Tab-separated table of all heavy atoms in Angstrom:
chain	number	residue	atom	x	y	z
F	361	LEU	N	13.800	10.838	-1.367
F	361	LEU	CA	12.395	11.167	-1.618
F	361	LEU	C	11.712	11.539	-0.313
F	361	LEU	O	12.141	11.135	0.776
F	361	LEU	CB	11.682	9.973	-2.262
F	361	LEU	CG	12.180	9.605	-3.669
F	361	LEU	CD1	11.720	8.202	-4.053
F	361	LEU	CD2	11.684	10.623	-4.699
F	362	ARG	N	10.629	12.281	-0.428
F	362	ARG	CA	9.899	12.774	0.746
F	362	ARG	C	8.446	12.350	0.653
F	362	ARG	O	7.779	12.561	-0.354
F	362	ARG	CB	9.991	14.306	0.800
F	362	ARG	CG	9.119	14.981	1.836
F	362	ARG	CD	9.318	16.490	1.824
F	362	ARG	NE	9.095	17.064	0.502
F	362	ARG	CZ	7.885	17.434	0.049
F	362	ARG	NH1	6.810	17.256	0.798
F	362	ARG	NH2	7.775	17.963	-1.156
F	363	VAL	N	7.948	11.732	1.720
F	363	VAL	CA	6.552	11.298	1.757
F	363	VAL	C	5.631	12.502	1.942
F	363	VAL	O	5.794	13.282	2.870
F	363	VAL	CB	6.329	10.286	2.906
F	363	VAL	CG1	4.841	9.948	3.026
F	363	VAL	CG2	7.148	9.026	2.672
F	364	ARG	N	4.669	12.634	1.026
F	364	ARG	CA	3.639	13.665	1.165
F	364	ARG	C	2.443	13.108	1.938
F	364	ARG	O	1.955	13.727	2.871
F	364	ARG	CB	3.177	14.165	-0.209
F	364	ARG	CG	4.241	14.898	-1.007
F	364	ARG	CD	3.705	15.305	-2.370
F	364	ARG	NE	2.803	16.449	-2.324
F	364	ARG	CZ	1.491	16.380	-2.565
F	364	ARG	NH1	0.917	15.205	-2.832
F	364	ARG	NH2	0.740	17.478	-2.511
F	365	THR	N	1.958	11.957	1.501
F	365	THR	CA	0.863	11.289	2.200
F	365	THR	C	1.139	9.794	2.202
F	365	THR	O	1.754	9.262	1.265
F	365	THR	CB	-0.500	11.540	1.515
F	365	THR	OG1	-0.499	10.941	0.212
F	365	THR	CG2	-0.797	13.023	1.396
F	366	ILE	N	0.684	9.133	3.246
F	366	ILE	CA	0.819	7.683	3.301
F	366	ILE	C	-0.332	7.143	4.136
F	366	ILE	O	-0.705	7.740	5.151
F	366	ILE	CB	2.185	7.265	3.896
F	366	ILE	CG1	2.406	5.753	3.754
F	366	ILE	CG2	2.338	7.722	5.329
F	366	ILE	CD1	3.827	5.304	4.048
F	367	ARG	N	-0.929	6.067	3.686
F	367	ARG	CA	-2.016	5.455	4.450
F	367	ARG	C	-2.145	3.980	4.093
F	367	ARG	O	-1.772	3.547	2.997
F	367	ARG	CB	-3.343	6.169	4.220
F	367	ARG	CG	-3.915	6.054	2.805
F	367	ARG	CD	-5.241	6.785	2.720
F	367	ARG	NE	-5.783	6.855	1.382
F	367	ARG	CZ	-6.963	6.340	1.016
F	367	ARG	NH1	-7.707	5.710	1.900
F	367	ARG	NH2	-7.399	6.468	-0.222
F	368	TYR	N	-2.668	3.246	5.050
F	368	TYR	CA	-3.016	1.855	4.799
F	368	TYR	C	-4.387	1.792	4.138
F	368	TYR	O	-5.274	2.604	4.423
F	368	TYR	CB	-3.064	1.068	6.111
F	368	TYR	CG	-1.725	0.842	6.774
F	368	TYR	CD1	-1.295	1.677	7.805
F	368	TYR	CD2	-0.908	-0.211	6.386
F	368	TYR	CE1	-0.086	1.462	8.437
F	368	TYR	CE2	0.313	-0.434	7.008
F	368	TYR	CZ	0.718	0.402	8.028
F	368	TYR	OH	1.934	0.200	8.650
F	369	ILE	N	-4.571	0.800	3.273
F	369	ILE	CA	-5.878	0.494	2.709
F	369	ILE	C	-6.126	-1.012	2.857
F	369	ILE	O	-5.229	-1.754	3.234
F	369	ILE	CB	-6.003	0.929	1.232
F	369	ILE	CG1	-4.873	0.332	0.371
F	369	ILE	CG2	-5.995	2.446	1.120
F	369	ILE	CD1	-5.007	0.664	-1.124
F	370	PHE	N	-7.322	-1.438	2.586
F	370	PHE	CA	-7.745	-2.831	2.746
F	370	PHE	C	-7.640	-3.279	4.212
F	370	PHE	O	-7.157	-4.368	4.512
F	370	PHE	CB	-6.946	-3.766	1.838
F	370	PHE	CG	-7.175	-3.546	0.362
F	370	PHE	CD1	-6.146	-3.136	-0.463
F	370	PHE	CD2	-8.432	-3.722	-0.192
F	370	PHE	CE1	-6.345	-2.913	-1.814
F	370	PHE	CE2	-8.653	-3.505	-1.550
F	370	PHE	CZ	-7.616	-3.109	-2.362
F	371	GLN	N	-8.146	-2.433	5.103
F	371	GLN	CA	-8.148	-2.797	6.529
F	371	GLN	C	-8.970	-4.052	6.801
F	371	GLN	O	-8.615	-4.861	7.658
F	371	GLN	CB	-8.679	-1.624	7.362
F	371	GLN	CG	-7.690	-0.484	7.560
F	371	GLN	CD	-7.684	0.511	6.408
F	371	GLN	OE1	-8.365	0.326	5.414
F	371	GLN	NE2	-6.909	1.581	6.556
F	372	GLY	N	-10.053	-4.219	6.071
F	372	GLY	CA	-10.936	-5.357	6.302
F	372	GLY	C	-10.331	-6.698	5.934
F	372	GLY	O	-10.894	-7.743	6.276
F	373	LEU	N	-9.186	-6.684	5.242
F	373	LEU	CA	-8.545	-7.930	4.843
F	373	LEU	C	-7.497	-8.403	5.847
F	373	LEU	O	-6.939	-9.493	5.686
F	373	LEU	CB	-7.887	-7.768	3.467
F	373	LEU	CG	-8.823	-7.426	2.315
F	373	LEU	CD1	-8.050	-7.391	0.994
F	373	LEU	CD2	-9.968	-8.429	2.218
F	374	VAL	N	-7.232	-7.603	6.880
F	374	VAL	CA	-6.189	-7.978	7.843
F	374	VAL	C	-6.556	-9.270	8.562
F	374	VAL	O	-5.724	-10.188	8.666
F	374	VAL	CB	-5.943	-6.836	8.851
F	374	VAL	CG1	-5.038	-7.322	9.984
F	374	VAL	CG2	-5.308	-5.640	8.157
F	375	VAL	N	-7.764	-9.378	9.072
F	375	VAL	CA	-8.160	-10.586	9.815
F	375	VAL	C	-8.200	-11.803	8.895
F	375	VAL	O	-7.625	-12.852	9.241
F	375	VAL	CB	-9.499	-10.372	10.536
F	375	VAL	CG1	-10.016	-11.691	11.108
F	375	VAL	CG2	-9.338	-9.351	11.659
F	376	PRO	N	-8.844	-11.755	7.716
F	376	PRO	CA	-8.789	-12.923	6.824
F	376	PRO	C	-7.366	-13.323	6.455
F	376	PRO	O	-7.051	-14.516	6.367
F	376	PRO	CB	-9.579	-12.459	5.590
F	376	PRO	CG	-10.490	-11.412	6.101
F	376	PRO	CD	-9.734	-10.706	7.182
F	377	LYS	N	-6.510	-12.326	6.256
F	377	LYS	CA	-5.113	-12.621	5.915
F	377	LYS	C	-4.415	-13.294	7.096
F	377	LYS	O	-3.635	-14.240	6.913
F	377	LYS	CB	-4.395	-11.325	5.543
F	377	LYS	CG	-3.042	-11.516	4.884
F	377	LYS	CD	-3.161	-11.826	3.418
F	377	LYS	CE	-1.813	-11.736	2.726
F	377	LYS	NZ	-1.898	-12.110	1.307
F	378	ALA	N	-4.689	-12.821	8.306
F	378	ALA	CA	-4.091	-13.429	9.496
F	378	ALA	C	-4.552	-14.868	9.665
F	378	ALA	O	-3.771	-15.740	10.075
F	378	ALA	CB	-4.434	-12.608	10.732
F	379	ILE	N	-5.806	-15.131	9.347
F	379	ILE	CA	-6.334	-16.508	9.418
F	379	ILE	C	-5.613	-17.385	8.397
F	379	ILE	O	-5.275	-18.554	8.679
F	379	ILE	CB	-7.850	-16.509	9.187
F	379	ILE	CG1	-8.553	-15.830	10.369
F	379	ILE	CG2	-8.363	-17.927	8.994
F	379	ILE	CD1	-10.032	-15.605	10.155
F	380	THR	N	-5.344	-16.825	7.226
F	380	THR	CA	-4.591	-17.572	6.212
F	380	THR	C	-3.184	-17.892	6.693
F	380	THR	O	-2.690	-19.004	6.500
F	380	THR	CB	-4.528	-16.761	4.900
F	380	THR	OG1	-5.852	-16.517	4.424
F	380	THR	CG2	-3.731	-17.515	3.838
F	381	VAL	N	-2.534	-16.907	7.317
F	381	VAL	CA	-1.200	-17.135	7.873
F	381	VAL	C	-1.225	-18.287	8.860
F	381	VAL	O	-0.385	-19.207	8.805
F	381	VAL	CB	-0.664	-15.854	8.569
F	381	VAL	CG1	0.625	-16.159	9.331
F	381	VAL	CG2	-0.429	-14.752	7.549
F	382	LEU	N	-2.188	-18.270	9.772
F	382	LEU	CA	-2.298	-19.327	10.772
F	382	LEU	C	-2.578	-20.673	10.118
F	382	LEU	O	-1.964	-21.689	10.476
F	382	LEU	CB	-3.407	-18.982	11.765
F	382	LEU	CG	-3.640	-19.981	12.901
F	382	LEU	CD1	-2.383	-20.121	13.764
F	382	LEU	CD2	-4.831	-19.555	13.751
F	383	GLY	N	-3.471	-20.683	9.137
F	383	GLY	CA	-3.788	-21.927	8.442
F	383	GLY	C	-2.596	-22.520	7.739
F	383	GLY	O	-2.373	-23.736	7.769
F	384	GLU	N	-1.776	-21.670	7.121
F	384	GLU	CA	-0.584	-22.165	6.442
F	384	GLU	C	0.428	-22.706	7.437
F	384	GLU	O	1.061	-23.743	7.179
F	384	GLU	CB	0.030	-21.055	5.596
F	384	GLU	CG	-0.807	-20.703	4.370
F	384	GLU	CD	-0.147	-19.679	3.461
F	384	GLU	OE1	1.004	-19.262	3.762
F	384	GLU	OE2	-0.755	-19.296	2.451
Side-chain angles (χ1 to χ4, degrees):
L361 295 163
R362 171 178 55 86
V363 174
R364 295 178 76 249
T365 65
I366 189 168
R367 66 179 174 120
Y368 290 98
I369 55 176
F370 295 117
Q371 284 85 356
L373 299 184
V374 170
V375 171
K377 192 81 169 177
I379 292 172
T380 300
V381 171
L382 181 61
E384 290 185 2

